[in-house]
Amino acid sequence: MENRWMIELRFDEDGTRTMATATLTGSGAPDVRGHGYARRNPADTPDSCVGEEIAAARALSNLSHELVDAAARRIEERTHSPARLNV
């Protein structure tokens, strides 16, 4: 059996803030999303690439935590014991 999961990143910007959503897609992928935000200091020169990079990194980090939490819940459902997983 081969599973292939892909991560889709979407961005929304409002001039000083950037929000990224990381969504896991693919066959057998759990329904989890990660969210990340970046805020530009008003004194800084606008650069959408920097905001997207920071927001994306935070969204991917959040996604990894959501995946570990989902795995822990599945383990706990099967073992009826607390799962202790770290990222």
Coordinates of all heavy atoms in Angstrom, one line a residue:
M1 N 0.8 -1.2 0.0 CA 0.0 0.0 0.0 C 0.9 1.2 0.0 O 1.8 1.3 0.8 CB -0.9 0.0 1.2 CG -1.7 1.2 1.4 SD -2.9 1.2 2.8 CE -1.8 1.6 4.1
E2 N 0.6 2.2 -0.9 CA 1.3 3.4 -0.9 C 0.4 4.6 -0.7 O -0.6 4.7 -1.4 CB 2.0 3.6 -2.3 CG 2.8 4.9 -2.4 CD 3.4 5.1 -3.8 OE1 4.0 4.1 -4.3 OE2 3.3 6.2 -4.3
N3 N 0.7 5.4 0.3 CA -0.1 6.6 0.5 C 0.8 7.8 0.1 O 2.0 7.8 0.3 CB -0.4 6.8 2.0 CG -1.5 5.9 2.4 OD1 -2.4 5.5 1.6 ND2 -1.5 5.5 3.6
R4 N 0.2 8.8 -0.5 CA 0.9 10.0 -0.8 C 0.1 11.2 -0.3 O -1.1 11.4 -0.6 CB 1.0 10.2 -2.3 CG 1.7 11.5 -2.7 CD 2.0 11.5 -4.2 NE 3.1 10.7 -4.4 CZ 3.7 10.6 -5.6 NH1 3.2 11.3 -6.6 NH2 4.7 9.8 -5.8
W5 N 0.7 11.9 0.7 CA 0.1 13.1 1.2 C 0.8 14.3 0.7 O 2.0 14.3 0.5 CB 0.2 13.1 2.7 CG -0.5 12.0 3.4 CD1 -1.3 11.0 2.9 CD2 -0.4 11.7 4.8 NE1 -1.7 10.2 3.9 CE2 -1.2 10.6 5.1 CE3 0.2 12.3 5.9 CZ2 -1.4 10.0 6.3 CZ3 0.1 11.7 7.2 CH2 -0.7 10.6 7.4
M6 N 0.0 15.3 0.4 CA 0.5 16.6 0.0 C 0.1 17.7 0.9 O -1.0 17.6 1.5 CB 0.1 16.9 -1.5 CG 0.7 15.9 -2.5 SD -0.3 15.6 -3.9 CE -1.6 14.6 -3.3
I7 N 0.8 18.7 1.0 CA 0.5 19.9 1.8 C 0.2 21.1 0.9 O 1.0 21.4 0.0 CB 1.6 20.3 2.8 CG1 1.9 19.1 3.7 CG2 1.2 21.5 3.5 CD1 3.1 19.3 4.5
E8 N -1.0 21.6 1.0 CA -1.4 22.8 0.3 C -1.3 24.0 1.2 O -1.8 24.0 2.3 CB -2.8 22.6 -0.2 CG -3.3 23.8 -1.0 CD -4.7 23.6 -1.4 OE1 -5.0 22.6 -2.1 OE2 -5.6 24.5 -1.1
L9 N -0.6 25.0 0.8 CA -0.5 26.3 1.5 C -1.3 27.3 0.8 O -1.2 27.6 -0.4 CB 0.9 26.7 1.6 CG 1.8 25.9 2.6 CD1 3.3 26.3 2.4 CD2 1.4 26.2 4.0
R10 N -2.2 28.0 1.6 CA -2.9 29.2 1.1 C -2.6 30.4 1.9 O -2.5 30.2 3.1 CB -4.4 28.9 1.1 CG -4.8 27.8 0.1 CD -6.3 27.6 0.2 NE -6.7 26.6 -0.8 CZ -7.6 26.7 -1.6 NH1 -8.4 27.7 -1.7 NH2 -7.9 25.7 -2.4
F11 N -2.6 31.5 1.3 CA -2.3 32.7 2.0 C -3.4 33.8 1.8 O -4.0 33.9 0.8 CB -0.9 33.3 1.4 CG 0.2 32.4 1.6 CD1 0.6 31.6 0.5 CD2 0.9 32.4 2.7 CE1 1.7 30.7 0.7 CE2 2.0 31.5 2.9 CZ 2.4 30.7 1.8
D12 N -3.5 34.6 2.9 CA -4.4 35.7 2.8 C -3.6 36.9 3.4 O -2.9 36.7 4.5 CB -5.7 35.6 3.7 CG -6.7 34.6 3.0 OD1 -6.9 34.7 1.8 OD2 -7.2 33.7 3.7
E13 N -3.6 38.0 2.8 CA -2.9 39.2 3.3 C -3.8 40.4 3.3 O -4.7 40.5 2.5 CB -1.7 39.5 2.4 CG -0.7 38.4 2.3 CD 0.5 38.7 1.4 OE1 1.1 39.7 1.6 OE2 0.8 37.8 0.6
D14 N -3.5 41.3 4.3 CA -4.3 42.5 4.4 C -3.4 43.8 4.4 O -3.9 44.8 4.9 CB -5.3 42.5 5.6 CG -4.6 42.6 6.9 OD1 -3.3 42.7 6.9 OD2 -5.2 42.6 7.9
G15 N -2.2 43.6 4.0 CA -1.3 44.8 4.0 C -0.3 44.7 5.1 O 0.9 45.0 4.9
T16 N -0.7 44.4 6.4 CA 0.3 44.3 7.5 C 0.3 42.9 8.1 O 1.2 42.6 8.8 CB 0.0 45.4 8.6 OG1 -1.3 45.1 9.1 CG2 0.1 46.8 8.1
R17 N -0.7 42.1 7.7 CA -0.8 40.8 8.3 C -0.9 39.7 7.2 O -1.6 40.0 6.2 CB -2.0 40.6 9.2 CG -1.8 41.5 10.5 CD -3.1 41.3 11.4 NE -4.2 41.8 10.6 CZ -5.5 41.7 10.9 NH1 -5.8 41.2 12.1 NH2 -6.4 42.3 10.2
T18 N -0.3 38.6 7.4 CA -0.4 37.5 6.5 C -0.8 36.3 7.3 O -0.3 36.0 8.3 CB 1.0 37.2 5.8 OG1 1.5 38.3 5.1 CG2 0.9 36.0 4.8
M19 N -1.8 35.6 6.8 CA -2.3 34.3 7.4 C -2.0 33.2 6.4 O -2.3 33.3 5.2 CB -3.7 34.4 7.7 CG -4.2 33.1 8.4 SD -6.0 33.0 8.7 CE -6.5 32.3 7.1
A20 N -1.5 32.1 6.9 CA -1.3 30.9 6.0 C -2.1 29.7 6.6 O -2.1 29.6 7.8 CB 0.2 30.5 6.0
T21 N -2.7 28.9 5.7 CA -3.3 27.7 6.1 C -2.7 26.6 5.4 O -2.5 26.6 4.2 CB -4.8 27.8 5.8 OG1 -5.4 28.9 6.4 CG2 -5.5 26.5 6.2
A22 N -2.2 25.6 6.2 CA -1.6 24.4 5.6 C -2.6 23.3 5.8 O -3.0 22.9 6.9 CB -0.3 24.0 6.4
T23 N -3.0 22.7 4.6 CA -4.0 21.6 4.6 C -3.3 20.4 4.0 O -2.6 20.4 3.0 CB -5.1 22.0 3.7 OG1 -5.7 23.2 4.2 CG2 -6.2 21.0 3.8
L24 N -3.5 19.3 4.8 CA -3.0 18.0 4.3 C -4.0 17.3 3.4 O -5.2 17.2 3.7 CB -2.8 17.1 5.6 CG -1.9 15.9 5.4 CD1 -0.5 16.3 4.9 CD2 -1.8 15.2 6.8
T25 N -3.6 16.9 2.2 CA -4.5 16.3 1.3 C -3.9 15.0 0.8 O -2.7 14.8 0.9 CB -4.8 17.2 0.0 OG1 -3.5 17.4 -0.7 CG2 -5.4 18.5 0.4
G26 N -4.7 14.1 0.2 CA -4.2 12.9 -0.4 C -4.9 11.7 0.2 O -5.7 11.8 1.1
S27 N -4.6 10.6 -0.5 CA -5.3 9.3 -0.1 C -4.9 8.9 1.3 O -3.7 8.8 1.7 CB -4.8 8.2 -1.0 OG -5.3 7.0 -0.7
G28 N -5.9 8.8 2.2 CA -5.7 8.4 3.6 C -5.2 9.5 4.5 O -4.9 9.2 5.6
A29 N -5.1 10.7 4.0 CA -4.6 11.8 4.8 C -5.6 12.1 5.9 O -6.8 12.3 5.6 CB -4.2 13.0 4.0
P30 N -5.2 12.3 7.1 CA -6.1 12.8 8.2 C -6.6 14.2 7.9 O -5.9 15.0 7.2 CB -5.3 12.7 9.5 CG -3.9 12.6 9.1 CD -3.8 12.1 7.7
D31 N -7.8 14.5 8.4 CA -8.4 15.8 8.1 C -7.8 16.8 9.2 O -8.4 17.0 10.2 CB -9.9 15.7 8.2 CG -10.6 17.0 7.9 OD1 -10.0 17.8 7.1 OD2 -11.7 17.3 8.4
V32 N -6.6 17.3 8.9 CA -6.0 18.3 9.8 C -5.5 19.5 9.0 O -5.2 19.4 7.8 CB -4.8 17.7 10.6 CG1 -5.3 16.6 11.6 CG2 -3.8 17.1 9.7
R33 N -5.5 20.6 9.7 CA -5.1 21.9 9.1 C -4.2 22.6 10.2 O -4.3 22.4 11.4 CB -6.2 22.8 8.8 CG -7.0 22.4 7.6 CD -8.2 23.3 7.4 NE -8.8 23.0 6.1 CZ -9.6 22.0 5.9 NH1 -9.9 21.2 6.9 NH2 -10.2 21.8 4.7
G34 N -3.2 23.3 9.6 CA -2.4 24.2 10.5 C -2.6 25.6 10.1 O -2.8 25.9 8.9
H35 N -2.4 26.5 11.1 CA -2.6 27.9 10.8 C -1.4 28.7 11.3 O -0.8 28.3 12.4 CB -3.9 28.5 11.4 CG -5.1 27.8 11.0 ND1 -5.7 28.1 9.8 CD2 -5.8 26.8 11.6 CE1 -6.8 27.3 9.6 NE2 -6.8 26.5 10.7
G36 N -1.0 29.7 10.6 CA 0.2 30.5 11.0 C 0.0 31.9 10.6 O -0.7 32.2 9.6
Y37 N 0.5 32.8 11.4 CA 0.3 34.3 11.1 C 1.6 35.0 11.2 O 2.5 34.6 11.9 CB -0.6 34.8 12.2 CG -2.0 34.1 12.2 CD1 -2.1 33.0 13.1 CD2 -3.0 34.5 11.4 CE1 -3.3 32.3 13.1 CE2 -4.2 33.8 11.5 CZ -4.4 32.7 12.3 OH -5.6 32.0 12.3
A38 N 1.7 36.1 10.4 CA 2.8 37.0 10.5 C 2.3 38.4 10.5 O 1.3 38.7 9.8 CB 3.8 36.7 9.3
R39 N 3.0 39.3 11.2 CA 2.6 40.7 11.2 C 3.8 41.5 10.9 O 4.8 41.4 11.5 CB 2.0 41.1 12.6 CG 1.5 42.5 12.6 CD 1.1 42.9 14.0 NE 2.2 43.0 14.9 CZ 3.0 44.0 15.0 NH1 2.9 45.0 14.2 NH2 4.0 44.0 15.9
R40 N 3.6 42.5 9.9 CA 4.7 43.3 9.5 C 4.7 44.6 10.5 O 3.7 45.2 10.7 CB 4.5 43.8 8.1 CG 5.6 44.8 7.6 CD 5.5 45.2 6.2 NE 4.2 45.8 5.8 CZ 3.9 47.1 6.0 NH1 4.8 47.9 6.5 NH2 2.8 47.6 5.7
N41 N 5.9 44.9 10.9 CA 6.0 46.1 11.7 C 5.7 47.3 10.7 O 6.3 47.3 9.6 CB 7.4 46.2 12.2 CG 7.7 47.4 13.1 OD1 7.2 48.5 12.8 ND2 8.4 47.2 14.2
P42 N 4.9 48.2 11.1 CA 4.5 49.3 10.2 C 5.7 50.1 9.8 O 5.7 50.8 8.7 CB 3.6 50.2 11.1 CG 3.0 49.3 12.1 CD 4.1 48.3 12.4
A43 N 6.8 50.1 10.5 CA 8.0 50.9 10.1 C 8.8 50.1 9.1 O 9.7 50.7 8.5 CB 8.9 51.1 11.4
D44 N 8.6 48.8 8.9 CA 9.3 48.0 7.9 C 8.8 48.2 6.5 O 7.6 48.5 6.3 CB 9.2 46.5 8.2 CG 10.0 46.2 9.5 OD1 10.8 47.0 9.9 OD2 9.7 45.1 10.0
T45 N 9.7 48.1 5.5 CA 9.3 48.1 4.1 C 8.4 46.9 3.8 O 8.8 45.8 4.1 CB 10.5 48.1 3.2 OG1 11.3 49.2 3.6 CG2 10.2 48.2 1.7
P46 N 7.3 47.1 3.1 CA 6.5 45.9 2.7 C 7.2 44.9 1.9 O 7.9 45.3 0.9 CB 5.3 46.5 1.9 CG 5.3 48.0 2.3 CD 6.7 48.3 2.6
D47 N 7.1 43.6 2.2 CA 7.7 42.5 1.4 C 6.9 41.3 1.7 O 7.0 40.6 2.7 CB 9.2 42.3 1.9 CG 9.9 41.3 1.1 OD1 9.2 40.5 0.4 OD2 11.1 41.2 1.1
S48 N 6.0 41.0 0.8 CA 5.0 39.9 1.0 C 5.7 38.6 1.1 O 5.2 37.7 1.7 CB 4.0 39.9 -0.2 OG 4.6 39.7 -1.4
C49 N 6.9 38.4 0.4 CA 7.6 37.1 0.5 C 8.0 36.8 2.0 O 7.9 35.7 2.4 CB 8.8 37.1 -0.4 SG 8.4 37.1 -2.1
V50 N 8.5 37.8 2.7 CA 8.9 37.5 4.1 C 7.7 37.2 4.9 O 7.7 36.2 5.7 CB 9.6 38.8 4.7 CG1 9.8 38.6 6.1 CG2 10.9 39.1 3.9
G51 N 6.6 37.9 4.8 CA 5.4 37.5 5.5 C 4.9 36.1 5.2 O 4.5 35.4 6.1
E52 N 4.9 35.8 3.9 CA 4.5 34.4 3.5 C 5.4 33.4 4.1 O 4.9 32.3 4.6 CB 4.4 34.3 2.0 CG 3.2 35.1 1.5 CD 3.1 35.0 -0.1 OE1 4.1 34.5 -0.7 OE2 2.1 35.6 -0.6
E53 N 6.7 33.6 4.1 CA 7.6 32.6 4.6 C 7.4 32.4 6.1 O 7.4 31.2 6.6 CB 9.1 33.0 4.3 CG 9.4 33.0 2.9 CD 10.8 33.7 2.6 OE1 11.3 34.4 3.5 OE2 11.2 33.5 1.4
I54 N 7.2 33.5 6.8 CA 7.0 33.3 8.3 C 5.7 32.7 8.6 O 5.6 31.7 9.4 CB 7.1 34.7 9.0 CG1 8.6 35.2 8.9 CG2 6.7 34.6 10.4 CD1 8.7 36.7 9.3
A55 N 4.6 33.1 7.9 CA 3.3 32.5 8.1 C 3.3 31.1 7.7 O 2.7 30.2 8.4 CB 2.2 33.3 7.4
A56 N 3.9 30.7 6.6 CA 4.0 29.3 6.2 C 4.7 28.4 7.2 O 4.3 27.4 7.5 CB 4.7 29.2 4.8
A57 N 5.9 28.9 7.7 CA 6.6 28.2 8.7 C 5.8 27.9 9.9 O 5.8 26.8 10.5 CB 7.9 28.9 9.0
R58 N 5.1 28.9 10.3 CA 4.2 28.8 11.5 C 3.1 27.8 11.3 O 2.7 27.0 12.1 CB 3.8 30.1 12.0 CG 4.9 30.9 12.6 CD 4.5 32.3 13.0 NE 5.6 33.0 13.6 CZ 5.7 34.3 13.8 NH1 4.7 35.1 13.4 NH2 6.8 34.8 14.4
A59 N 2.5 27.9 10.1 CA 1.4 27.0 9.7 C 1.8 25.6 9.7 O 1.2 24.6 10.1 CB 0.7 27.4 8.4
L60 N 3.0 25.3 9.1 CA 3.6 24.0 9.0 C 3.9 23.4 10.4 O 3.7 22.2 10.7 CB 4.8 23.9 8.1 CG 4.5 24.2 6.6 CD1 5.8 24.4 5.8 CD2 3.7 23.0 6.0
S61 N 4.4 24.3 11.2 CA 4.7 23.9 12.6 C 3.4 23.5 13.3 O 3.3 22.4 14.0 CB 5.4 25.0 13.4 OG 5.6 24.7 14.7
N62 N 2.4 24.3 13.2 CA 1.1 24.0 13.8 C 0.5 22.7 13.2 O -0.1 21.9 13.9 CB 0.1 25.2 13.5 CG -1.2 25.0 14.2 OD1 -2.2 25.0 13.5 ND2 -1.3 24.8 15.5
L63 N 0.7 22.5 11.9 CA 0.2 21.3 11.2 C 0.9 20.0 11.9 O 0.2 19.0 12.1 CB 0.4 21.3 9.7 CG 0.0 20.1 8.9 CD1 -1.5 19.9 9.0 CD2 0.5 20.2 7.5
S64 N 2.2 20.1 12.1 CA 2.9 19.0 12.7 C 2.4 18.7 14.1 O 2.2 17.5 14.4 CB 4.4 19.2 12.7 OG 4.7 20.2 13.7
H65 N 2.0 19.7 14.8 CA 1.5 19.5 16.2 C 0.1 18.9 16.1 O -0.3 18.0 16.9 CB 1.4 20.8 17.0 CG 2.8 21.2 17.4 ND1 3.4 20.8 18.6 CD2 3.7 22.0 16.8 CE1 4.6 21.3 18.7 NE2 4.8 22.1 17.7
E66 N -0.7 19.3 15.1 CA -2.0 18.7 14.9 C -2.0 17.3 14.5 O -2.8 16.4 15.0 CB -2.8 19.5 13.8 CG -3.1 21.0 14.3 CD -4.1 21.0 15.4 OE1 -5.0 20.1 15.5 OE2 -4.0 22.0 16.2
L67 N -1.0 16.9 13.7 CA -0.8 15.5 13.3 C -0.4 14.6 14.5 O -0.9 13.5 14.7 CB 0.3 15.4 12.2 CG -0.2 15.7 10.8 CD1 1.0 15.8 9.9 CD2 -1.1 14.6 10.3
V68 N 0.5 15.1 15.3 CA 0.9 14.4 16.5 C -0.3 14.2 17.5 O -0.5 13.1 18.0 CB 2.1 15.0 17.2 CG1 2.3 14.4 18.6 CG2 3.3 14.9 16.4
D69 N -1.1 15.3 17.6 CA -2.3 15.2 18.5 C -3.3 14.2 17.9 O -3.9 13.4 18.7 CB -3.0 16.6 18.6 CG -2.2 17.5 19.4 OD1 -1.2 17.1 20.1 OD2 -2.5 18.8 19.4
A70 N -3.5 14.1 16.6 CA -4.4 13.2 16.0 C -3.9 11.8 16.2 O -4.7 10.8 16.6 CB -4.6 13.5 14.5
A71 N -2.6 11.5 16.1 CA -2.0 10.2 16.3 C -2.2 9.8 17.8 O -2.5 8.7 18.1 CB -0.5 10.2 15.9
A72 N -2.0 10.7 18.7 CA -2.1 10.4 20.1 C -3.5 10.0 20.4 O -3.8 9.1 21.2 CB -1.7 11.6 20.9
R73 N -4.5 10.7 19.8 CA -5.9 10.4 20.1 C -6.2 9.0 19.6 O -6.9 8.2 20.3 CB -6.8 11.4 19.4 CG -6.9 12.7 20.2 CD -8.1 13.6 19.6 NE -7.9 13.9 18.2 CZ -7.2 14.9 17.8 NH1 -6.5 15.7 18.7 NH2 -7.1 15.2 16.5
R74 N -5.7 8.6 18.4 CA -5.9 7.2 17.9 C -5.3 6.2 18.8 O -5.8 5.1 19.0 CB -5.4 7.1 16.5 CG -6.2 8.0 15.5 CD -5.6 7.9 14.1 NE -5.8 6.6 13.5 CZ -6.6 6.3 12.5 NH1 -7.1 7.3 11.9 NH2 -6.7 5.1 12.0
I75 N -4.1 6.5 19.3 CA -3.4 5.5 20.2 C -4.2 5.3 21.4 O -4.4 4.2 21.9 CB -1.9 6.0 20.5 CG1 -1.1 5.9 19.2 CG2 -1.3 5.2 21.6 CD1 0.3 6.6 19.4
E76 N -4.7 6.5 22.0 CA -5.4 6.4 23.2 C -6.7 5.7 23.1 O -7.2 4.9 24.0 CB -5.7 7.8 23.8 CG -4.4 8.5 24.3 CD -4.5 9.9 24.6 OE1 -5.6 10.5 24.3 OE2 -3.5 10.5 25.1
E77 N -7.4 5.8 21.9 CA -8.6 5.1 21.6 C -8.4 3.6 21.6 O -9.2 2.8 22.1 CB -9.2 5.5 20.3 CG -9.8 6.9 20.3 CD -10.2 7.4 18.9 OE1 -10.0 6.6 17.9 OE2 -10.7 8.5 18.8
R78 N -7.2 3.2 21.1 CA -6.9 1.7 21.0 C -6.4 1.1 22.3 O -6.6 0.0 22.6 CB -5.9 1.5 19.9 CG -6.6 1.8 18.6 CD -5.6 1.4 17.4 NE -6.3 1.7 16.2 CZ -5.7 2.2 15.1 NH1 -4.5 2.4 15.1 NH2 -6.4 2.4 14.0
T79 N -5.6 1.9 23.0 CA -4.9 1.4 24.2 C -5.6 1.7 25.5 O -5.3 1.1 26.6 CB -3.5 1.9 24.3 OG1 -3.5 3.3 24.5 CG2 -2.7 1.5 23.1
H80 N -6.5 2.7 25.5 CA -7.2 3.2 26.7 C -6.2 3.7 27.7 O -6.5 3.6 28.9 CB -8.1 2.2 27.2 CG -9.1 1.7 26.2 ND1 -10.2 2.4 25.8 CD2 -9.1 0.5 25.6 CE1 -10.8 1.7 24.9 NE2 -10.2 0.5 24.7
S81 N -5.0 4.2 27.2 CA -4.0 4.8 28.1 C -3.5 6.1 27.5 O -3.6 6.2 26.3 CB -2.8 3.8 28.2 OG -3.2 2.6 28.8
P82 N -3.1 7.0 28.3 CA -2.6 8.2 27.8 C -1.4 8.0 26.9 O -0.5 7.2 27.2 CB -2.2 9.0 29.0 CG -2.9 8.4 30.2 CD -3.0 7.0 29.8
A83 N -1.4 8.7 25.8 CA -0.2 8.6 24.8 C 0.7 9.8 25.1 O 0.2 10.9 25.3 CB -0.7 8.6 23.4
R84 N 2.0 9.6 25.2 CA 2.9 10.7 25.4 C 3.8 10.8 24.2 O 4.8 10.1 24.1 CB 3.7 10.3 26.7 CG 2.9 10.4 27.9 CD 3.7 10.0 29.2 NE 3.0 10.2 30.4 CZ 2.1 9.3 30.8 NH1 2.0 8.1 30.2 NH2 1.5 9.5 32.0
L85 N 3.4 11.7 23.3 CA 4.2 11.9 22.1 C 4.7 13.3 22.0 O 4.1 14.2 22.5 CB 3.3 11.7 20.8 CG 2.6 10.3 20.7 CD1 1.6 10.3 19.5 CD2 3.6 9.2 20.6
N86 N 5.9 13.4 21.5 CA 6.6 14.7 21.4 C 6.8 15.0 19.9 O 7.0 14.1 19.1 CB 7.9 14.8 22.1 CG 7.7 14.6 23.6 OD1 6.8 15.2 24.2 ND2 8.5 13.7 24.2
V87 N 6.9 16.3 19.6 CA 7.3 16.8 18.3 C 8.7 17.1 18.3 O 9.3 17.7 19.2 CB 6.5 18.0 17.8 CG1 6.9 18.5 16.5 CG2 5.0 17.7 17.8

